[in-house]
Amino acid sequence: MSENGRAATDLLDLAYPYAMDAVAELERRTIEHRLRAADEATADAFAAIVSGVRETLAALTVLDATAPPPDLETTLMRALDEATGVPGKSPKRFERLRWLAAAVAVVVAIGAGAGVLVHRSTDPGSPGLTAQMVLEQPDVMVKSVPVAGGGTLTVRTSARIAAATVSFESVSAPPAGRAYQVWLIPLGGTPRSARVMTELPATGPAMVTRFDAVDTLAVTVEPATGSPAPTTAAIASVNLT
């Protein structure tokens, strides 16, 4: 394999932990820098892997804490095979990545409760991030904006830990077969999905997420499985700085 081929394969391997936010901030920026310099085919394959992993994890996330079903691991690995299979992957390497994804899905299924959906709870810099941790920060700021169609989107941010909670107040559930998809949009960059929600909690934050200082948080209405990129106009958006 050529040097360029090995570089592309290595970059695609990194798409899996990148999709699950299981990389440190410096490594994430390095990956994004390499992605901008990659050829179109590699960039498209990377985006497909990230989208497939995040959609699979989002579909397995629950609003109320429950024990994961006994076939969760098998179901996830089968879904990853179907959604994110990449020709030419090393069987050993791909199996290791699938096991990592399965382990994260189990954590998500067990840990999501009390109306809080944790998207980046496994971030190495802040393990176990919760909405309460954000709300207890001394620098917490509150921003509220109207949601098209009625209701309010309220975001509470802490620059100190670079994290935010997102709440929907008096917002109707998404239409049947549709979902609210939350995006983090870096300045001049590509939107990345933070959460796909087919329903909203009755009270409390709907999710907690990390963000960069230049990010804008936006919400669009997408298919129930989510989209790799926004397909509709935002129904609400908030600058996180």
Side-chain angles (χ1 to χ4, degrees):
M1 181 184 294
S2 67
E3 184 176 343
N4 288 341
R6 284 194 297 272
T9 299
D10 290 343
L11 183 59
L12 294 182
D13 286 344
L14 292 170
Y16 295 87
Y18 179 92
M20 295 177 288
D21 298 295
V23 295
E25 178 63 19
L26 179 60
E27 186 176 7
R28 184 179 68 79
R29 293 182 183 276
T30 299
I31 292 171
E32 291 173 351
H33 175 75
R34 291 181 58 188
L35 189 60
R36 287 192 291 270
D39 61 84
E40 184 176 356
T42 300
D44 288 346
F46 187 98
I49 292 170
V50 171
S51 175
V53 172
R54 287 180 173 172
E55 288 174 9
T56 301
L57 293 179
L60 289 170
T61 303
V62 294
L63 281 172
D64 297 313
T66 59
D71 61 347
L72 173 61
E73 182 181 293
T74 301
T75 300
L76 176 61
M77 289 194 290
R78 182 170 60 249
L80 285 171
D81 281 339
E82 295 171 353
T84 64
V86 178
K89 297 291 288 184
S90 162
K92 275 190 177 181
R93 179 180 291 151
F94 188 56
E95 184 172 353
R96 183 174 68 249
L97 294 167
R98 286 166 51 212
W99 274 105
L100 175 60
V104 171
V106 171
V107 171
V108 171
I110 296 173
V116 179
L117 303 183
V118 180
H119 174 54
R120 298 187 178 187
S121 62
T122 55
D123 179 79
S126 298
L129 176 68
T130 66
Q132 190 61 34
M133 288 172 60
V134 178
L135 301 180
E136 291 176 348
Q137 297 304 311
D139 67 335
V140 67
M141 296 180 60
V142 182
K143 294 184 179 181
S144 295
V145 296
V147 175
T152 303
L153 173 71
T154 298
V155 179
R156 292 172 171 83
T157 63
S158 168
R160 183 170 179 266
I161 60 172
T165 68
V166 181
S167 300
F168 294 83
E169 299 159 6
S170 302
V171 176
S172 300
R178 307 286 284 177
Y180 292 133
Q181 191 158 357
V182 181
W183 306 90
L184 293 173
I185 309 173
L187 183 63
T190 302
R192 58 185 186 273
S193 179
R195 176 61 59 194
V196 177
M197 293 178 286
T198 56
E199 56 183 304
L200 300 175
T203 60
M207 61 173 283
V208 56
T209 184
R210 294 199 174 281
F211 66 90
D212 291 335
V214 295
D215 281 347
T216 293
L217 184 145
V219 183
T220 62
V221 179
E222 304 291 343
T225 55
S227 299
T231 63
T232 63
I235 59 173
S237 65
V238 177
N239 292 327
L240 298 181
T241 55

